[in-house]
Amino acid sequence: MPSPTAFNIMAARIVMVAAALALTGCASTPRAHSTAPSPSGLTKVSTTLFIEPSDNPELPALPPPKVLTSPAPHVPPDAAPLPHPAEMILVVDIGTEGQVRSVMVARSTYMRELDRVALDALQQWRFEPVVHDGSAIAVRARVRVIFEARGR
């Protein structure tokens, strides 16, 4: 069992990390939003595409690329019911042709199955290429995914 001082230090660190994550989400400007029912019908999934100023530091401020295709995460019908909305942030690297090159979790739902279906779905997204100074460029963007129980 940690000492009371060690416990207080751990608790303070957890609060600081939670505050930093909350502030990260507040600094963004969402630009694209969609809401789609998952095929199971039990969960509503909404997504918002945005770019943080630190995502592409070598470039001027960019609007997010236009989404051409964005399959919604498929939540299995036997997935555990959601007592409250579950939110995650994914970081996506988009290639010069609008293809997804990589996806990373910046903020998890802490529900492995939801994180997995969101990652799988985002791998299938396609974007209009971003053009800067007359050439298509690779960019980094973020996608906020919110899973909610139907009827909320």
Side-chain angles (χ1 to χ4, degrees), residues 1-18:
M1 176 92 179
S3 70
T5 303
F7 180 78
N8 289 340
I9 291 171
M10 284 191 299
R13 286 183 179 161
I14 291 170
V15 169
M16 288 173 28
V17 168

Side-chain angles (χ1 to χ4, degrees), residues 6-123:
F7 180 78
N8 289 340
I9 291 171
M10 284 191 299
R13 286 183 179 161
I14 291 170
V15 169
M16 288 173 28
V17 168
L21 288 173
L23 288 173
T24 300
C26 294
S28 60
T29 305
R31 296 285 302 213
H33 180 76
S34 67
T35 302
S38 73
S40 70
L42 301 175
T43 306
K44 180 172 60 172
V45 180
S46 14
T47 59
T48 307
L49 176 68
F50 60 99
I51 293 181
E52 289 284 330
S54 61
D55 287 339
N56 302 286
E58 68 285 357
L59 297 170
L62 296 170
K66 179 180 177 188
V67 178
L68 299 176
T69 59
S70 59
H74 173 71
V75 180
D78 61 346
L82 295 172
H84 52 77
E87 180 178 333
M88 71 183 304
I89 303 286
L90 298 170
V91 176
V92 58
D93 288 320
I94 303 166
T96 57
E97 295 179 6
Q99 78 283 15
V100 173
R101 293 190 336 201
S102 67
V103 182
M104 300 167 283
V105 176
R107 184 185 323 156
S108 173
T109 63
Y110 298 105
M111 291 179 246
R112 185 182 323 191
E113 190 169 18
L114 293 182
D115 287 357
R116 183 186 52 78
V117 297
L119 282 164
D120 291 347
L122 194 57
Q123 288 286 349

Side-chain angles (χ1 to χ4, degrees), residues 131-144:
V131 177
H132 178 68
D133 289 338
S135 298
I137 59 170
V139 296
R140 176 170 281 179
R142 295 173 190 252
V143 177
R144 178 178 290 113

